[in-house]
Amino acid sequence: MDKYLDIIKNSYTGYWNYIKQSVLMELNWENYFYGLIIISLVVWGLEIVFPWRKNQPLFRKDFWLDTFYMFFNFFLLNLIVLIALSNTAEQFFNDILGLVGLSVANFQLFDINTFPYWVRLFVFFIIIDFVQWFTHTLLHRYEFLWNFHKVHHSVKQMGFAAHLRYHWMEPVVYNSMKYIPLAIMGGFTAQDVAIVHFFNITIGHLNHANINWDYGWLKYILNNPRMHIWHHAKELPEDRKMGVNFGITLSIWDYIFKTNYIPYNGRDIELGFDGDEEFPKDFIHQEIYPLGKK
């Protein structure tokens, strides 16, 4: 037990120091704090210059709520629970494997660090994106998970910061699903993660932005605002009630598995979900949902 308590303590201390170093600009270029700010300002600037919904206010509905979500989920949530939980769960899993004479290395199919750099980056990105696409479909398919995912779908006007409005349980689910493929791939560097993460943040911000883009023929590969707005549509056909357009960064998975859906220009469609009128409007009650729901 002392070992796990030490892991929790060291996780909090280490991550708090990381946040301080980020804010004080004591890190190299892989500084997520200022990286997130720069990406957000650039995409917000594009929304201002090239608005798709021209009557949507610059400070749209829930703009400040989503801005808070953006920093809370990206930084503070890790400090409060995720880093300690992740490190403790990893050690517990390794200890269980050790009882039967195994280790994570026994599940490793290949060491991604032996690949040429760009191949390593590409394989890492593709595998992680597919796992996230699959996990996203589960969030819509099962009521238990959907209750958490409702927070993200409570957005009523799309904008860049809506990208990071999500329930604290979502990263727990996503990170759990990514653990096995990461173990199979073997080690990877912090630089690899940073490059992929910054790219994913940029595409995710653009997907939720008030911008009329689809990247031409690349729309069949990259998720885009014209496609992703239909993922947030309140009204869908009966055969699509479980959701559509689940792509995180790549849209190709939706085209491969026939979950793509763009029936017409979705600029003015109503966003949300059935019963969202009764859904909590403030941060605290959204975070503790479904506890206390009517």
Side-chain angles (χ1 to χ4, degrees):
M1 180 58 70
D2 288 342
K3 175 174 63 176
Y4 294 111
L5 292 176
D6 286 340
I7 290 174
I8 293 172
K9 182 181 68 175
N10 293 334
S11 297
Y12 280 125
T13 303
Y15 190 71
W16 174 245
N17 289 334
Y18 166 76
I19 290 180
K20 288 194 296 183
Q21 289 177 320
S22 297
V23 174
L24 297 174
M25 293 189 288
E26 295 175 352
L27 299 175
N28 295 322
W29 64 269
E30 58 267 25
N31 187 318
Y32 291 116
F33 183 78
Y34 289 103
L36 177 63
I37 292 175
I38 292 170
I39 291 170
S40 298
L41 290 176
V42 169
V43 177
W44 192 25
L46 291 173
E47 286 188 340
I48 295 170
V49 177
F50 306 107
W52 189 12
R53 295 169 292 281
K54 299 186 186 304
N55 61 340
Q56 182 169 303
L58 180 61
F59 294 96
R60 60 173 178 79
K61 181 178 174 60
D62 292 336
F63 176 89
W64 295 112
L65 173 65
D66 289 340
T67 300
F68 177 78
Y69 260 114
M70 192 165 66
F71 287 95
F72 176 82
N73 281 334
F74 213 79
F75 299 104
L76 295 182
L77 182 59
N78 280 326
L79 180 64
I80 294 170
V81 63
L82 290 184
I83 291 295
L85 178 63
S86 177
N87 291 343
T88 306
E90 181 180 0
Q91 184 60 54
F92 179 74
F93 182 65
N94 289 336
D95 288 344
I96 294 297
L97 290 177
L99 293 176
V100 294
L102 297 174
S103 68
V104 173
N106 293 113
F107 299 96
Q108 184 176 321
L109 297 182
F110 54 85
D111 184 353
I112 199 170
N113 284 322
T114 63
F115 293 9
Y117 181 71
W118 289 109
V119 175
R120 179 176 76 213
L121 211 61
F122 180 75
V123 171
F124 174 71
F125 166 68
I126 292 296
I127 292 178
I128 292 303
D129 195 74
F130 174 74
V131 171
Q132 292 186 124
W133 173 88
F134 178 71
T135 304
H136 196 180
T137 67
L138 299 181
L139 293 176
H140 283 257
R141 184 173 298 275
Y142 297 102
E143 185 68 20
F144 173 75
L145 298 176
W146 169 241
N147 274 325
F148 303 129
H149 196 46
K150 282 179 180 178
V151 171
H152 184 65
H153 282 267
S154 64
V155 172
K156 300 302 289 184
Q157 287 185 328
M158 293 284 266
F160 72 94
H163 173 209
L164 296 177
R165 183 200 291 200
Y166 54 77
H167 194 282
W168 64 270
M169 268 296 293
E170 282 206 27
V172 174
V173 177
Y174 276 107
N175 290 342
S176 299
M177 293 293 289
K178 286 189 288 187
Y179 183 78
I180 294 177
L182 288 177
I184 290 174
M185 283 190 286
F188 52 91
T189 68
Q191 185 182 50
D192 297 341
V193 176
I195 292 173
V196 170
H197 214 29
F198 281 134
F199 180 69
N200 288 343
I201 295 167
T202 302
I203 296 299
H205 269 35
L206 289 169
N207 290 341
H208 293 81
N210 182 22
I211 300 173
N212 184 23
W213 288 358
D214 68 1
Y215 314 124
W217 63 269
L218 283 175
K219 66 185 178 183
Y220 299 110
I221 299 174
L222 279 177
N223 200 359
N224 55 82
R226 290 184 186 175
M227 182 176 193
H228 193 68
I229 197 168
W230 282 101
H231 178 73
H232 286 261
K234 185 168 184 176
E235 299 294 333
L236 290 171
E238 196 60 39
D239 62 333
R240 300 279 189 158
K241 285 297 184 183
M242 300 303 292
V244 297
N245 303 348
F246 299 105
I248 303 299
T249 298
L250 299 179
S251 61
I252 192 170
W253 311 120
D254 289 302
Y255 287 103
I256 290 174
F257 295 102
K258 309 301 182 185
T259 52
N260 60 297
Y261 182 75
I262 312 175
Y264 56 86
N265 186 312
R267 185 189 67 182
D268 299 317
I269 60 174
E270 183 179 4
L271 309 182
F273 55 88
D274 290 341
D276 60 4
E277 301 84 3
E278 302 297 323
F279 194 76
K281 302 298 188 291
D282 63 285
F283 172 78
I284 296 297
H285 287 92
Q286 287 181 358
E287 286 292 274
I288 64 174
Y289 191 88
L291 296 176
K293 70 176 181 177
K294 295 181 180 179

